Amino acid sequence: SLPGSPVTLKILQNWVPRVSHYFDKEHYTYVGHQIVIQESIEHFGAVVWPGALALSQYLESNQEQFNLKDKKVLEIGAGTGLLSIVACILGAHVTATDLPEVLENLSYNISRNTKNLNTHKPEVRKLVWGEGLNEDFPVSTYHYDFVLATDVVYHHAALDPLLATMVYFCKPGTVLLWANKFRFSTDYEFLEKVCNIFNTTILAEFPESNVKLLKATVREN
């Protein structure tokens, strides 16, 4: 069993649905800003999943506990970019990463929603889990205060590379915040691996959405 007694929360309906026959543009409000997200039906990573809503809401509500101002924040599997946009609004130096085929839509959403903000300019980069990490993000140069990951665990074969990527970026002093829907045994097996490697706490649960929000830090010997 995990330490900590998680708060039980509900994902608030922070958006006004707009429907079109091809591209969905979803309108959200976080931290006093309207955020417009273009989704794509072609890619998994191009739809806003509940974990991103849960963590965006949590960061908005817990700014004292997790103060992102001027912090270096890496999002892995950023998808549509909603969470990275929220982190940027909260004052972070954000690097949003995902697979090459997702980057165009991700870049579009991030630049569109942050261009008029007086905040650090976010960066969008390719990151394939477990591949080329030393080359693209050498440890000597890149250290992140926070690593954000939402809905990164579902039916896919890349769970070991995902775990390796979390381990790679979680240095002493880094906080990993991971929000995910938990439905399948594979989800819980991955959680068990995370708990075996990191100091892990459940911060919040969103039972209606089957989402758990976890904080993980590296075990220091």
Side-chain angles (χ1 to χ4, degrees):
S1 70
L2 289 168
S5 46
V7 290
T8 302
L9 298 171
K10 183 177 175 179
I11 294 178
L12 303 170
Q13 301 288 315
N14 279 24
W15 69 95
V16 185
R18 312 276 167 106
V19 180
S20 69
H21 67 283
Y22 182 66
F23 274 119
D24 266 0
K25 284 195 173 47
E26 298 275 10
H27 295 241
Y28 301 85
T29 309
Y30 288 101
V31 205
H33 291 265
Q34 172 141 328
I35 300 169
V36 182
I37 295 292
Q38 173 171 286
E39 299 187 332
S40 154
I41 55 170
E42 295 165 36
H43 302 296
F44 249 172
V47 177
V48 176
W49 296 95
L53 300 175
L55 186 47
S56 295
Q57 179 178 318
Y58 194 85
L59 289 173
E60 177 184 43
S61 310
N62 294 274
Q63 294 177 46
E64 284 171 16
Q65 186 185 0
F66 297 108
N67 179 6
L68 299 192
K69 190 163 170 44
D70 301 328
K71 298 292 197 300
K72 290 192 165 55
V73 172
L74 173 74
E75 184 178 6
I76 58 173
T80 60
L82 174 67
L83 178 59
S84 279
I85 293 161
V86 171
C88 184
I89 292 169
L90 290 168
H93 293 271
V94 176
T95 303
T97 68
D98 212 316
L99 298 170
E101 59 268 27
V102 178
L103 293 186
E104 190 182 350
N105 193 55
L106 174 60
S107 300
Y108 173 79
N109 282 331
I110 287 186
S111 60
R112 170 189 180 150
N113 286 284
T114 61
K115 62 177 189 283
N116 299 325
L117 296 179
N118 185 18
T119 52
H120 305 294
K121 189 172 163 48
E123 195 183 358
V124 175
R125 293 187 58 180
K126 178 191 89 163
L127 194 164
V128 181
W129 297 335
E131 290 182 21
L133 300 178
N134 292 312
E135 295 77 33
D136 296 341
F137 296 89
V139 175
S140 53
T141 318
Y142 294 94
H143 182 281
Y144 295 97
D145 300 298
F146 292 92
V147 175
L148 309 180
T150 64
D151 296 306
V152 285
V153 176
Y154 46 91
H155 280 315
H156 61 72
L159 291 178
D160 289 339
L162 170 60
L163 190 60
T165 302
M166 289 174 164
V167 168
Y168 179 82
F169 285 111
C170 284
K171 304 292 180 228
T174 302
V175 172
L176 167 66
L177 295 173
W178 167 43
N180 218 92
K181 244 176 140 67
F182 282 82
R183 290 162 293 183
F184 308 113
S185 58
T186 44
D187 302 339
Y188 287 97
E189 284 160 20
F190 187 86
L191 173 59
E192 199 172 320
K193 288 182 181 173
V194 168
C195 293
N196 288 338
I197 294 172
F198 299 105
N199 291 324
T200 311
T201 314
I202 301 187
L203 295 174
E205 299 194 84
F206 299 76
E208 289 177 21
S209 315
N210 296 322
V211 169
K212 296 183 196 300
L213 168 54
L214 298 105
K215 170 190 168 186
T217 53
V218 71
R219 291 208 174 113
E220 302 197 44
N221 300 335

